[in-house]
Amino acid sequence: PMGGGGSGLTPTSQAVMANQNELCSRNMVLSAFTLLQQHEASSSSVNKNHGHHMIVSAMDAFLEGGDEEEAGGFTDSQIQSLLSVCNTAIEHPLLLYQGGPTYHMVSNAAILLCHLLNGMHANRGAGDAPGEMEAALFDEVFDTFIAVRKLLNIHRRKLPVRLRCHGIPRPNFHGTAPGTGTGEDGGGGAGGA
């Protein structure tokens, strides 16, 4: 019986408790990620399904552990996956309308790019002169972020209020001292994210 004061568990509760490791959210996402990767690898089509590929790239970026020594704590692989997700959305904006979490994943990827930009900008503000590769990466990430932010804001306006992700703020690269504006204190580009 449900809702009673007794200690009896429902069949659903018993099944969940017996399979906690398999049913924890991270393991369920990892299983979905593995299935999508297998499907993508088995597809013989020259034109890959852009929606599947975008979701696989997003899951890859979200599930990978960060690198504390890199700008913003992101690994090179995560950065490439985040850029891939955002660039796919820019190139194929109708994917934002596909069912499931696509719109939310693209929004989260854009927010993570904003955090990356904040980290790279903080490193610049700390007196470190960026190398040629760092400057090129910053420009690429910045251009991608601006484009996907615009796309998401346009898409967001068309959705019912209950389905909208929160807005993505503009990057704020002026008026912050080194060590501030990294998104934690509201002074940076991801302050409201």
Side-chain angles (χ1 to χ4, degrees):
M2 295 184 63
S7 62
L9 295 174
T10 65
T12 302
S13 297
Q14 289 174 348
V16 169
M17 298 302 281
N19 297 295
Q20 281 182 312
N21 288 339
E22 295 170 23
L23 297 175
C24 79
S25 57
R26 179 167 176 80
N27 286 342
M28 289 177 69
V29 170
L30 283 169
S31 294
F33 175 63
T34 301
L35 288 172
L36 283 171
Q37 277 187 318
Q38 289 172 354
H39 174 74
E40 188 173 72
S42 69
S43 175
S44 60
S45 173
V46 175
N47 295 322
K48 296 284 185 181
N49 182 323
H50 295 291
H52 281 168
H53 184 73
M54 183 167 59
I55 290 172
V56 168
S57 293
M59 290 176 132
D60 190 30
F62 300 154
L63 293 173
E64 187 175 330
D67 185 353
E68 294 304 319
E69 295 177 14
E70 294 291 323
F74 295 94
T75 64
D76 291 341
S77 174
Q78 278 179 299
I79 294 168
Q80 290 304 314
S81 292
L82 292 171
L83 288 171
S84 173
V85 168
C86 292
N87 284 327
T88 300
I90 292 164
E91 293 170 13
H92 306 282
L94 289 177
L95 290 175
L96 293 174
Y97 288 99
Q98 78 180 3
T102 304
Y103 163 62
H104 298 282
M105 287 181 156
V106 175
S107 291
N108 287 333
I111 290 167
L112 289 175
L113 281 184
C114 192
H115 285 294
L116 173 63
L117 284 170
N118 286 337
M120 294 173 77
H121 182 69
N123 286 347
R124 282 182 169 183
D128 296 340
E132 192 174 313
M133 286 182 59
E134 289 85 8
L137 177 62
F138 183 88
D139 290 343
E140 174 69 19
V141 172
F142 184 70
D143 291 345
T144 301
F145 172 75
I146 294 298
V148 80
R149 178 186 175 272
K150 172 98 175 160
L151 176 68
L152 288 169
N153 283 337
I154 290 169
H155 180 74
R156 183 176 184 267
R157 283 185 228 133
K158 296 176 184 176
L159 294 175
V161 174
R162 295 185 71 177
L163 296 179
R164 294 178 184 172
C165 288
H166 47 78
I168 300 174
R170 292 180 182 272
N172 178 10
F173 294 132
H174 54 283
T176 57
T180 64
T182 58
E184 317 309 59
D185 60 358

